[in-house]
Amino acid sequence: MRTRIITAIVALAIFVPFVVYGGIPLTILISLLGVIAVGELLFMKKRLLVSFEALVSFVAVVVTILPNSFWRLLPAPTFLNPRTLIYLFIFLLLLTTVLSNNKLSFDDAGALSLGVLYIGFGFHFFLQARAENWMAFVFGLIIVWLTDSFAYIIGRKLGRHKLIPKISPNKTWEGSIGGTAVATIVAIIFAESTHFATHFSLFEIVLATLILSIAGQFGDLIESALKRYFGVKDSGTLLPGHGGILDRFDSMLIVMPIIVLIGLTA
């Protein structure tokens, strides 16, 4: 527990200033985190981090993460746009299955392609939410952190009924509902006091909060399912006591895209 707390304090001390400042420094940091997350996926699949498919995946995730403003700076017309480049990277992975005589299998190429999209777009919308509406971004962070923290606290104290034991044996219905309840109450107070989403009614704010809290828990469960499939306890070891980047950002990779897509940042 001591290691976990120290790691959290150090990580927040590094991460929070970047988030507050935003702009290019945050884009560079998030791109680096995206590369590390893809590296964790490669590690779980027992693929070499120094290989052609790793290089392709690293470049692909950065291209996916980069904000829309970056692409608008490029001269037009140009083939240098994220959709074309992502297709090119997926094609290169598929081509590698042929040139490597299936040492990189179709399953490997598929897992890496899906991983790049999952990680890349999750972090892309993380940056977009931060750039478009600071309060909506903080709203998302509040929901993720409170849901996760109180699901753990309430689950340990009151948890009796397992949520999905084959995927995450420690999660309980009591913790899940309690975490969502606490996050919803605090997030609604935050939204009403800051008035960042005046185009949403109170009912819509409540509904959005519930959706985001539940979605964040699904993000956690997706990561749990991924680790269970690969037979690992944590996605990585970068953060002692916490695991890897995927372990820490699993909920945000789902929540931040939803915040943007439902219009909370508008």
Side-chain angles (χ1 to χ4, degrees):
M1 180 60 71
R2 182 180 178 183
T3 300
R4 186 180 177 89
I5 293 172
I6 293 173
T7 300
I9 293 172
V10 173
L12 287 173
I14 296 171
F15 185 67
V16 169
F18 278 91
V19 171
V20 172
Y21 188 82
I24 293 176
L26 180 61
T27 299
I28 293 172
L29 175 63
I30 292 300
S31 297
L32 177 60
L33 295 181
V35 169
I36 294 172
V38 170
E40 292 174 353
L41 180 61
L42 286 160
F43 174 77
M44 286 189 284
K45 282 196 63 62
K46 296 180 172 59
R47 305 299 307 184
L48 293 175
L49 295 182
V50 182
S51 61
F52 179 74
E53 63 268 21
L55 176 61
V56 169
S57 301
F58 292 151
V59 175
V61 79
V62 172
V63 166
T64 310
I65 289 172
L66 288 173
N68 298 332
S69 57
F70 171 84
W71 301 102
R72 287 194 289 266
L73 295 175
L74 298 178
T78 177
F79 73 92
L80 291 176
N81 64 75
R83 287 176 297 181
T84 302
L85 291 175
I86 290 169
Y87 170 78
L88 175 61
F89 295 133
I90 292 174
F91 168 74
L92 288 174
L93 288 175
L94 293 174
L95 182 62
T96 305
T97 65
V98 177
L99 299 179
S100 69
N101 292 318
N102 268 333
K103 290 181 180 178
L104 178 78
S105 68
F106 185 84
D107 286 345
D108 292 330
L112 290 175
S113 298
L114 182 59
V116 164
L117 296 177
Y118 158 59
I119 295 166
F121 279 114
F123 278 130
H124 171 86
F125 284 110
F126 181 97
L127 290 174
Q128 185 170 334
R130 167 62 183 86
E132 290 183 352
N133 191 321
W134 167 252
M135 288 301 177
F137 176 78
V138 174
F139 179 74
L141 294 182
I142 288 173
I143 292 173
V144 168
W145 288 340
L146 288 181
T147 298
D148 184 57
S149 298
F150 280 91
Y152 175 76
I153 294 169
I154 295 173
R156 288 199 65 180
K157 295 291 185 182
L158 304 175
R160 297 292 183 272
H161 302 87
K162 299 298 184 181
L163 186 61
I164 308 180
K166 290 185 178 180
I167 297 297
S168 187
N170 294 325
K171 288 182 171 56
T172 64
W173 279 103
E174 291 84 357
S176 174
I177 294 170
T180 293
V182 172
T184 299
I185 292 170
V186 176
I188 290 171
I189 294 172
F190 175 83
E192 289 298 295
S193 61
T194 58
H195 306 290
F196 77 88
T198 54
H199 55 300
F200 273 51
S201 67
L202 178 59
F203 172 77
E204 289 171 331
I205 288 290
V206 173
L207 182 60
T209 306
L210 289 172
I211 291 172
L212 292 169
S213 179
I214 294 170
Q217 294 185 66
F218 272 116
D220 194 338
L221 289 168
I222 289 169
E223 174 65 9
S224 295
L226 183 67
K227 291 185 292 186
R228 187 160 291 273
Y229 175 77
F230 286 119
V232 298
K233 182 179 182 295
D234 296 313
S235 66
T237 57
L238 181 66
L239 304 170
H242 291 266
I245 296 303
L246 284 174
D247 291 310
R248 288 300 88 207
F249 285 86
D250 48 11
S251 295
M252 291 187 196
L253 292 176
I254 303 298
V255 167
M256 289 302 172
I258 295 176
I259 284 178
V260 175
L261 295 174
I262 66 176
L264 271 174
T265 60

